[in-house]
Amino acid sequence: MRSNIGIYGHRGFSGCYPENTMIAFEEAESIGVDGIELDVQMTKDGELVVIHDEKVDRTTNGAGYVKDFYYNQIRLLDAGSWFDPKFSNQIIPSLSEVLAWVKGLDRKLTVNIELKTDRIDYINIEKKVLSKVYEYQLNDQVIISSFNQNSLKRVRELDPFIQTALLFIGVPANVLEEARILRVNGIHCEAQFALSIEGQKMRENGYPLRVYTVNDPSYVNALKKARVSIIMTDFPNRFLSL
């Protein structure tokens, strides 16, 4: 399977470690994933932080919206104990922290940065993310994805060459048209789309299919037949060993 489908750790190795923390990313890398997927939100003072939800309630000991925290406040939150008390030393990482770590690795690791702008349209987040990617010279290792088409438009206007991907749910019939308008380079979809006629149409038109979030290895053969490029999973260990 490894020669056909790449494996990305979804929010890192989030099935066994607290999602979107450095330990989740480090453990995913240590077992040989091809890439990691992470989510970016923005603090009140404009710092980019890696957390999935708009609010900190689910994955920290705090409460409230990320946008209402200053960076120095959000760094004080415990981002690990909710998963297991032994991870109480984990904090919400900054995007800079993750990219600096990726840059320091002795191999190339792809980073899928999801812009979490589908509920809160953070001002200038696209420009800020691109600036960080440039700062660490990771242009050729980054894919920027989003459910928010306006965010993808802004990214493409700012950078004609960075890899972008359209994120969506289900099996919509107009994805090819949207992908062309947005000038994205790939499709991030559920397995049902990849296995559908619409999904195969996208692949035949040159769009790689990267499928989220697959945790059951029994799907692998079907996804291989569908010529999926990437599987994103909370449990990369289940797939790397196949």
Side-chain angles (χ1 to χ4, degrees):
M1 189 186 98
R2 299 291 290 124
S3 61
N4 298 311
I5 303 180
I7 304 299
Y8 288 2
H10 180 249
R11 306 178 201 169
F13 195 159
S14 59
C16 296
Y17 301 89
E19 65 180 60
N20 279 325
T21 59
M22 288 308 303
I23 193 170
F25 299 135
E26 290 163 356
E27 293 297 330
E29 191 279 329
S30 74
I31 63 170
V33 296
D34 301 285
I36 56 170
E37 184 269 352
L38 57 82
D39 308 280
V40 172
Q41 314 257 2
M42 196 159 70
T43 63
K44 189 173 184 176
D45 47 346
E47 288 292 332
L48 302 170
V49 289
V50 178
I51 182 172
H52 178 270
D53 298 359
E54 288 75 18
K55 299 179 78 172
V56 302
D57 303 45
R58 180 177 65 86
T59 58
T60 79
N61 61 339
Y65 285 93
V66 173
K67 69 179 180 64
D68 294 330
F69 283 85
Y70 289 103
Y71 179 63
N72 62 354
Q73 294 174 320
I74 212 163
R75 294 286 283 186
L76 297 175
L77 300 178
D78 173 354
S81 291
W82 68 274
F83 191 87
D84 190 301
K86 67 183 178 183
F87 298 122
S88 63
N89 63 331
Q90 293 299 308
I91 60 176
I92 296 173
S94 65
L95 181 61
S96 290
E97 192 174 355
V98 178
L99 295 182
W101 166 72
V102 171
K103 184 66 177 177
L105 295 173
D106 58 6
R107 69 181 181 99
K108 282 195 171 184
L109 186 72
T110 300
V111 184
N112 173 198
I113 300 173
E114 181 182 341
L115 302 178
K116 298 298 292 185
T117 52
D118 41 312
R119 295 187 182 181
I120 298 172
D121 204 359
Y122 298 104
I123 296 172
N124 287 330
I125 191 172
E126 299 85 7
K127 186 176 182 179
K128 286 174 177 285
V129 167
L130 285 171
S131 294
K132 291 298 180 186
V133 172
Y134 302 154
E135 180 182 343
Y136 293 98
Q137 300 178 314
L138 291 170
N139 310 44
D140 63 341
Q141 291 175 237
V142 163
I143 302 164
I144 297 178
S145 63
S146 185
F147 285 99
N148 184 332
Q149 295 193 13
N150 288 326
S151 265
L152 292 173
K153 286 178 186 175
R154 291 179 201 128
V155 171
R156 184 53 75 228
E157 288 167 1
L158 291 164
D159 189 326
F161 305 109
I162 198 84
Q163 289 283 310
T164 59
L166 175 61
L167 257 171
F168 56 89
I169 297 170
V171 188
N174 59 339
V175 177
L176 181 57
E177 179 185 356
E178 290 177 348
R180 286 172 171 166
I181 291 170
L182 296 168
R183 292 184 289 155
V184 297
N185 309 100
I187 299 299
H188 292 188
C189 60
E190 295 174 295
Q192 60 176 320
F193 182 85
L195 300 175
S196 71
I197 293 172
E198 291 296 325
Q200 289 308 294
K201 184 194 299 183
M202 293 303 296
R203 186 187 57 75
E204 290 163 4
N205 276 273
Y207 293 92
L209 303 176
R210 305 185 187 105
V211 179
Y212 71 89
T213 305
V214 182
N215 291 330
D216 183 351
S218 67
Y219 281 94
V220 167
N221 286 336
L223 294 175
K224 284 177 70 174
K225 288 179 183 176
R227 295 169 72 178
V228 162
S229 297
I230 299 292
I231 287 174
M232 302 186 198
T233 176
D234 299 332
F235 296 94
N237 55 318
R238 295 178 182 174
F239 296 85
L240 292 168
S241 60
L242 293 177

